[in-house]
Amino acid sequence: MIGVRVSAFNENGLGEPEQDANSALTELDKGLRSGRVGEQCEAIVRFPRLFEKYPFPILINSSLLKLADVFRVGNNFLRVWVLRVCQQSEKHLDKILNVDEFVRRIFSVIHSNDPVARALTLLTLGSVAGVIPERQQVHHGIRRSLDSRDAVEVEAAIQAALQFAAQSKTFALSMCNKISDMIQGLSTPADMKLRLIPVLQHMHHDTATAGMVRQLCLQLLPSYPAEEFVLVTLNAMTQLASATLVDVPVQVSLLLKQLSLDPRGAVGTAALGGLLQLSGSGDTSSSQVAKIGNDGSREASLAHHWPDGAVGELTAIAMKLSSVSGIPPSSSRTTSGRLLSRALTLLCRLSSSAAVIQSFLYPESPLLDLCMKCCYSTDVVLATKAVRVMTNIVCKCNQDEWARGQTVVVDTVADKAESLFLYITCQDGASKNPERSKMYVKQSLYCLVSLARSHRKLCPRFVELIGSQLEIFEGANVVLLCEALGAIGGFQVGALLPLLPLLLLKLRTSTYSLLNLPPATKRLHSNTVTMLCTLVFQTMVGYEWTDEVFQVVEEVIHKAPLWATYRIARSAARYGHHRIGSLALCRLVEQVSSEHLHFWLVALREMSAGEALLSAPVIVAPDVKPPTLLTRLSMANAHYAKAVAALKAASTPAHGLQFQLEWARARGEFLQAASQLCLSAASLCTAPPPAIATSLAHSSRDELLRCGHATLQLRKCAKEFRACSDLYWKLYQSAFDADPSSLANIQILQQMCVLMATNIERVSLSSSKSEAVLDLSWQHCNLETQHLLTSIQEASAVGRQLFQGDRETKSITHLLVECLVKQVEVLSDTALCFPRFFFQVLQSTSVKLAISPQPRVPGESVFVMGSGSSGNVGSQLALKVEGVVQHGGRPGLFRRVASLLLTVSTAPVHSRSTSITDPAVKTGDNTGVVLSQTVTPHRDFFAAQFLLAFPLQPVPGVGAPTSGGTQYVVSVEACAIDEEGDVWRTGPRATLSVKVHDDGEGRGGGGGGNKAGGNARSRN
């Protein structure tokens, strides 16, 4: 009743305007003090949102103390809402500073004569058990309430006992005998015993208590054979075993025994559920090429704790269930069929563990025999799960080196996956549940994609299979087939080339049908057209566009809805087809209502136009000479300059577009450096070395200076490419939320710059002998990465042929310069694929900082008084840095924030009158300090303190401190550190102005002494 948790009221903004923390708290406090219950409730329910927006200890402590006051003096209705706030703000409860006062106000209601008030008090104390786990008075209150005669109070006491037992070892030990006596006592009602048994699952703080609790549960199984008691007891024992781990083998054996001996379907279902939990949760795969590839399959992380023979026993039980259901099993709707379906689900989890399947990797194994029998079932559920098990085994064999020599036949599993796909697609038209049919199609396609990923030789076979169904399919499943083809087509270049005529035909028919469809179905057909265009883009990667393909896609762009056109342009940019992308963006630029969106589309159009000049063949008249490489580089660089300006205009405070801006700027710098290299190469002919070049080479001991102006220009180009490489590296460090393929894109672009810089240095520097080492670890990544790697390998091969062996002559020849220009041409002519992170953020992580102390008036400085008798001692300031890690959708998809590196630096602000020739300024003395500290966030909150020293700066030429004090700028920067220890410069960066004033003792004392000495001399 009371324990039901509501979590919906704080998810919406409730319409309150943006304001700072103090104003928001003041407004809510005003509502709490209102005499109307409705206004009080409205204020209470807004506190969880306030905690999420300002998760800092001072505000949370003050707010919860106010809520505790409302709980103490209010009625039960208000107490219910305070309870809800405590339940929803669980991760912020450890930020309460005055825990004693908070508990005192809440616990005072336990002495009320109202049992409902006492029950609400127990529930509230249980919700904050993580903060007060060892409060003896609370423990005593729970124990006393367990003996109450009021059912509501006893129910609340059991719930509180459940929460405290999970947090407190002392409470678990003290309550173990009490709970045991109540469960075994004859006076305890049966429904109360069912509520008390789950408390035992948290008695795992030491092995002795866990063993005692397990023996008690083993005694309860034969003593209370009713179905409800068996289910609750088995669940408690499973939870206990998963926490202690030492009892996992015996618990697995117990659950298998219950599954084989107890004929009740609910007990068998509970036993299989417990086995599924004891197989481990693991982590879902974070990088999937297509949506159908992300099915939620997990690694069996606890499977290595299972006893020997457990999987064989489970397989035997499943084989027995399949025999009961029929050979092959005909339905999953009977009791045995449902148990068999759950057993196959468990085997799907276990089949991803090498510790489990290593004894079943031979063709006649019982596990494969079971799957072979079930894969021919007329029930799609059983057949799908059986094929999934075989698919996982085949993929695991290919993934692990120790299993690659096993004799599991891949072609046999591929035949079963094909048969399942064809059977499901044939039954699709007769299905009464379209959503369920769509799920079956998705699961069968997952098996095909997984097999193609692990065995690339199966790609043409599966492409032909799915393409044959794409030709006859209509409706929502066409999108699923396109996604599967996109996933397989992303594994290798040209995989979808045999389907190009079919794709063009489907595009034509879908485009014509778009014009006459009602709005309800136009969206579905728009998705289909977008996916078909994406498949065409994948097919044409590395190939030249024909007129037929271009005309079909161009017709789609002119007739498709605007949002579909934008998605097509985005896909074209992702796969490097910038000519068609520029055409689509030209249609969209003037079709948006927002100014920021207009500039975003302008930026995309300019970048696509610039890349189209480089990669796409330029169509000119027969009597017109095509533009040279230098002309195309210059024009593309001009387009990127316009794109950078448009991205700045498209940025908003909510969407800064920082990654897009830096990526476009780095690309522009690369094009600029390539243009300079072409000009430097031309200068070897247009600017021959002067007459004194030989004498300069002798005097500087640099023989390459004989070539004159070209040598210096080439060395300058090498520096520009190195600087561009640094830009890409900084961009990589800032992209914490980027997907792996986007990070690979940045690294490949950086390697392009390093390759050019290294080769230029080998030509223009006599001491440079090193060759650029290419990282080819991404050669099995997606299609875009493979395409970029091919270009960089081709450019590297051009230089390797020319630089074989040692150079015989210490001179810059035309052949060497032409080789450099050829490498630039290879890299620039390659169609650049935009990274996914440029358009789509799958994971969002941000850090919010709060620095104290803060100035009383925003924009002014924090004043610090100097100390000591010496005028340049200055003072110290204790700086506190608090922050919270905020997550968007799908947190931790690619990487998580394990810790943060906080860096605090201080720098004096020199006045305009300060001369740069002053020794203190020139040598960098007293210019500030840099401190760093690594903190680990707790429930996404972190805090650190720094002690900063601020010496008074001397007046230039005088040596005494300045009369008006010294101004300092304190900068605080946060960097995220992931689980692997890599540092990411995610920011943010906050600044604080500090002004140090002299208290007058040093200068006053010194001045007084000088004056006294002068008077003494005058008297003498």
Side-chain angles (χ1 to χ4, degrees):
M1 175 178 87
I2 304 176
V4 178
R5 186 169 173 177
V6 180
S7 62
F9 64 74
N10 69 325
E11 294 180 359
N12 297 324
L14 297 179
E16 64 261 26
E18 288 291 331
Q19 50 190 348
D20 59 6
N22 293 330
S23 301
L25 182 59
T26 303
E27 182 181 347
L28 295 182
D29 182 49
K30 182 179 178 181
L32 292 178
R33 297 178 183 273
S34 174
R36 300 179 180 179
V37 178
E39 294 182 1
Q40 288 180 312
C41 293
E42 183 182 1
I44 292 173
V45 300
R46 290 190 178 186
F47 273 97
R49 176 171 171 80
L50 180 68
F51 296 161
E52 292 294 332
K53 192 173 184 180
Y54 306 103
F56 300 109
I58 295 179
L59 182 139
I60 292 175
N61 179 73
S62 177
S63 302
L64 288 175
L65 287 179
K66 295 178 184 298
L67 291 176
D69 254 341
V70 173
F71 189 92
R72 178 173 59 89
V73 301
N75 52 34
N76 288 340
F77 185 67
L78 294 178
R79 289 174 183 141
V80 169
W81 293 113
V82 175
L83 169 63
R84 299 290 187 264
V85 172
C86 293
Q87 290 175 337
Q88 295 186 9
S89 306
E90 180 183 0
K91 69 176 184 179
H92 300 298
L93 294 177
D94 54 356
K95 300 170 189 175
I96 303 177
L97 303 178
N98 299 336
V99 179
D100 296 335
E101 181 62 23
F102 176 77
V103 175
R104 185 189 67 80
R105 298 180 185 182
I106 297 293
F107 191 75
S108 62
V109 189
I110 200 68
H111 305 293
S112 172
N113 293 329
D114 184 5
V116 177
R118 296 197 299 269
L120 289 171
T121 304
L122 292 172
L123 290 175
T124 305
L125 292 173
S127 65
V128 298
V131 183
I132 53 170
E134 305 297 338
R135 297 283 173 145
Q136 296 298 324
Q137 58 176 353
V138 180
H139 296 177
H140 178 69
I142 296 173
R143 177 187 288 269
R144 185 177 58 188
S145 296
L146 286 174
D147 299 328
S148 174
R149 296 183 179 180
D150 187 82
V152 175
E153 185 177 358
V154 174
E155 180 184 346
I158 294 174
Q159 181 67 23
L162 182 69
Q163 293 170 322
F164 270 91
Q167 301 291 337
S168 173
K169 177 181 178 180
T170 305
F171 181 80
L173 294 177
S174 63
M175 292 297 294
C176 185
N177 293 328
K178 173 72 173 177
I179 299 295
S180 175
D181 293 340
M182 292 183 67
I183 293 176
Q184 294 177 331
L186 298 177
S187 59
T188 307
D191 59 338
M192 188 178 296
K193 292 182 180 181
L194 290 175
R195 294 189 182 95
L196 286 170
I197 292 176
V199 181
L200 299 176
Q201 70 188 24
H202 297 296
M203 307 288 184
H204 52 72
H205 298 282
D206 58 8
T207 55
T209 306
M212 183 176 63
V213 170
R214 181 170 181 81
Q215 292 300 322
L216 172 61
C217 293
L218 289 175
Q219 296 174 8
L220 291 177
L221 284 176
S223 302
Y224 297 91
E227 185 176 290
E228 293 83 359
F229 277 92
V230 174
L231 297 180
V232 174
T233 305
L234 288 178
N235 181 65
M237 296 176 69
T238 302
Q239 298 288 345
L240 190 66
S242 62
T244 58
L245 296 182
V246 294
D247 293 328
V248 170
V250 293
Q251 181 63 18
V252 169
S253 302
L254 175 64
L255 292 175
L256 289 173
K257 180 180 178 181
Q258 288 291 133
L259 179 61
S260 60
L261 297 181
D262 200 318
R264 291 173 290 188
V267 176
T269 301
L272 288 172
L275 290 171
L276 187 64
Q277 181 179 351
L278 292 178
S279 67
S281 58
D283 297 326
T284 57
S285 180
S286 60
S287 57
Q288 297 292 344
V289 180
K291 296 179 182 179
I292 61 169
N294 190 5
D295 71 321
S297 60
R298 298 183 177 184
E299 188 78 14
S301 58
L302 293 182
H304 59 279
H305 291 284
W306 283 38
D308 295 336
V311 180
E313 186 177 353
L314 175 64
T315 305
I317 295 173
M319 186 73 74
K320 181 180 178 181
L321 292 172
S322 66
S323 301
V324 174
S325 300
I327 301 177
S330 59
S331 177
S332 62
R333 298 176 183 177
T334 61
T335 301
S336 58
R338 285 193 294 268
L339 293 179
L340 177 59
S341 177
R342 292 181 179 271
L344 289 174
T345 301
L346 176 59
L347 290 173
C348 284
R349 174 77 61 85
L350 295 173
S351 61
S352 62
S353 172
V356 173
I357 66 170
Q358 58 183 348
S359 58
F360 296 93
L361 297 181
Y362 55 94
E364 294 80 12
S365 66
L367 180 58
L368 290 179
D369 286 344
L370 172 66
C371 295
M372 291 292 182
K373 181 187 297 185
C374 294
C375 70
Y376 291 111
S377 172
T378 56
D379 191 286
V380 180
V381 177
L382 299 178
T384 301
K385 293 181 179 180
V387 175
R388 282 284 304 277
V389 174
M390 292 189 292
T391 301
N392 290 343
I393 292 176
V394 169
C395 295
K396 195 67 177 178
C397 291
N398 184 72
Q399 180 181 356
D400 296 336
E401 294 183 0
W402 61 268
R404 289 179 182 173
Q406 303 299 327
T407 58
V408 178
V409 181
V410 178
D411 293 335
T412 303
V413 179
D415 291 339
K416 301 299 181 293
E418 285 185 349
S419 301
L420 174 65
F421 172 70
L422 292 175
Y423 177 74
I424 292 176
T425 53
C426 291
Q427 296 292 326
D428 180 63
S431 176
K432 298 181 181 179
N433 192 338
E435 291 298 325
R436 185 179 296 272
S437 175
K438 183 178 179 180
M439 180 185 67
Y440 295 151
V441 174
K442 187 175 182 179
Q443 292 178 355
S444 64
L445 288 173
Y446 167 78
C447 296
L448 297 178
V449 172
S450 299
L451 289 172
R453 180 185 294 110
S454 59
H455 297 82
R456 302 294 172 87
K457 64 179 182 180
L458 296 175
C459 289
R461 176 179 174 181
F462 290 157
V463 166
E464 182 181 0
L465 172 68
I466 301 175
S468 64
Q469 298 301 312
L470 180 65
E471 188 174 1
I472 60 177
F473 255 54
E474 296 293 340
N477 287 337
V478 176
V479 178
L480 290 179
L481 297 182
C482 292
E483 289 178 356
L485 287 174
I488 298 176
F491 297 149
Q492 56 186 1
V493 178
L496 303 180
L497 197 59
L499 291 183
L500 183 59
L502 174 62
L503 296 177
L504 296 179
L505 178 62
K506 294 286 289 186
L507 266 179
R508 287 194 185 97
T509 56
S510 300
T511 304
Y512 292 146
S513 61
L514 272 176
L515 301 177
N516 302 320
L517 285 176
T521 57
K522 182 174 288 188
R523 180 178 181 183
L524 177 61
H525 280 72
S526 299
N527 293 337
T528 303
V529 168
T530 303
M531 290 303 303
L532 290 172
C533 287
T534 303
L535 295 180
V536 173
F537 295 152
Q538 279 189 333
T539 305
M540 300 306 297
V541 170
Y543 296 92
E544 291 187 5
W545 282 60
T546 62
D547 294 338
E548 180 187 5
V549 178
F550 187 82
Q551 290 173 2
V552 171
V553 179
E554 184 180 14
E555 185 179 2
V556 172
I557 290 175
H558 289 303
K559 295 182 180 180
L562 296 180
W563 175 242
T565 304
Y566 173 75
R567 294 176 61 190
I568 293 172
R570 185 176 62 185
S571 299
R574 289 278 313 279
Y575 291 103
H577 304 297
H578 299 287
R579 182 184 172 192
I580 198 70
S582 177
L583 185 64
L585 291 167
C586 288
R587 180 195 173 198
L588 299 173
V589 168
E590 304 298 336
Q591 300 293 328
V592 291
S593 58
S594 171
E595 183 180 12
H596 299 289
L597 295 179
H598 167 76
F599 283 111
W600 164 251
L601 294 176
V602 168
L604 293 180
R605 183 190 63 184
E606 294 295 336
M607 296 170 69
S608 297
E611 293 296 336
L613 286 172
L614 295 174
S615 58
V618 181
I619 302 175
V620 296
D623 55 342
V624 178
K625 187 177 181 181
T628 62
L629 174 62
L630 178 60
T631 303
R632 290 188 286 124
L633 287 172
S634 302
M635 294 173 64
N637 191 22
H639 281 291
Y640 265 93
K642 296 178 183 178
V644 169
L647 285 173
K648 291 180 180 179
S651 301
T652 61
H655 300 87
L657 301 180
Q658 189 65 28
F659 175 84
Q660 292 84 349
L661 185 61
E662 295 299 328
W663 191 88
R665 182 178 288 119
R667 178 63 175 174
E669 291 294 330
F670 175 82
L671 297 177
Q672 178 66 27
S675 301
Q676 291 297 327
L677 177 60
C678 294
L679 292 173
S680 301
S683 67
L684 189 63
C685 299
T686 59
I692 60 173
T694 304
S695 60
L696 290 176
H698 282 296
S699 60
S700 61
R701 297 181 180 180
D702 189 352
E703 293 296 327
L704 291 177
L705 288 180
R706 294 175 179 269
C707 301
H709 180 68
T711 303
L712 299 178
Q713 289 296 105
L714 288 175
R715 292 175 181 176
K716 183 180 178 181
C717 290
K719 293 181 180 179
E720 290 181 355
F721 278 109
R722 292 287 181 188
C724 185
S725 173
D726 293 339
L727 288 179
Y728 279 116
W729 173 240
K730 293 178 181 178
L731 179 63
Y732 182 93
Q733 285 187 311
S734 65
F736 178 81
D737 294 322
D739 55 285
S741 61
S742 297
L743 294 179
N745 180 283
I746 298 173
Q747 286 185 291
I748 293 174
L749 295 178
Q750 182 194 9
Q751 286 199 13
M752 289 183 180
C753 301
V754 174
L755 174 66
M756 292 307 307
T758 303
N759 289 335
I760 294 173
E761 290 172 353
R762 295 178 69 184
V763 171
S764 60
L765 295 176
S766 56
S767 60
S768 178
K769 299 291 184 180
S770 61
E771 182 180 357
V773 179
L774 301 180
D775 186 2
L776 303 180
S777 58
W778 311 292
Q779 56 185 347
H780 298 298
C781 292
N782 54 17
L783 189 63
E784 312 94 88
T785 305
Q786 296 177 21
H787 178 63
L788 292 176
L789 275 178
T790 302
S791 66
I792 197 173
Q793 288 175 343
E794 183 180 351
S796 178
V798 172
R800 196 179 301 113
Q801 293 176 0
L802 190 62
F803 292 116
Q804 288 179 352
D806 295 335
R807 292 173 54 185
E808 298 178 357
T809 59
K810 300 295 182 180
S811 176
I812 300 178
T813 63
H814 291 279
L815 184 62
L816 292 174
V817 172
E818 290 176 0
C819 172
L820 295 178
V821 175
K822 179 62 177 177
Q823 286 180 318
V824 167
E825 187 174 3
V826 169
L827 295 178
S828 60
D829 286 351
T830 303
L832 178 65
C833 300
F834 285 21
R836 183 176 189 173
F837 193 62
F838 194 93
F839 299 100
Q840 187 179 19
V841 179
L842 300 179
Q843 168 189 313
S844 178
T845 308
S846 60
V847 180
K848 188 176 182 179
L849 292 179
I851 305 174
S852 57
Q854 285 288 333
R856 295 182 178 180
V857 179
E860 293 189 356
S861 303
V862 175
F863 293 97
V864 179
M865 298 302 297
S867 61
S869 59
S870 177
N872 60 353
V873 170
S875 183
Q876 293 178 331
L877 174 67
L879 185 71
K880 185 175 184 180
V881 180
E882 297 174 310
V884 61
V885 181
Q886 298 176 329
H887 304 281
R890 306 170 73 181
L893 179 62
F894 303 118
R895 57 197 66 86
R896 293 182 180 273
V897 178
S899 57
L900 291 108
L901 178 64
L902 300 179
T903 304
V904 178
S905 60
T906 63
V909 179
H910 298 286
S911 62
R912 295 182 179 179
S913 60
T914 304
S915 174
I916 60 174
T917 59
D918 182 71
V921 178
K922 201 171 184 179
T923 60
D925 296 338
N926 298 327
T927 56
V929 296
V930 178
L931 303 176
S932 62
Q933 183 178 350
T934 302
V935 294
T936 301
H938 177 67
R939 295 183 183 270
D940 295 334
F941 176 80
F942 60 91
Q945 291 185 340
F946 298 88
L947 185 61
L948 305 178
F950 298 100
L952 291 172
Q953 296 297 306
V955 177
V958 178
T962 59
S963 58
T966 304
Q967 188 88 12
Y968 281 87
V969 174
V970 179
S971 300
V972 181
E973 183 180 7
C975 298
I977 303 177
D978 60 11
E979 303 96 324
E980 299 180 358
D982 297 329
V983 180
W984 301 80
R985 299 192 176 277
T986 57
R989 184 181 180 90
T991 59
L992 180 68
S993 179
V994 177
K995 192 168 186 178
V996 182
H997 284 278
D998 188 12
D999 57 2
E1001 294 179 0
R1003 290 195 307 275
N1010 292 336
K1011 186 176 181 180
N1015 292 337
R1017 286 192 296 271
S1018 63
R1019 285 195 297 270
N1020 291 333

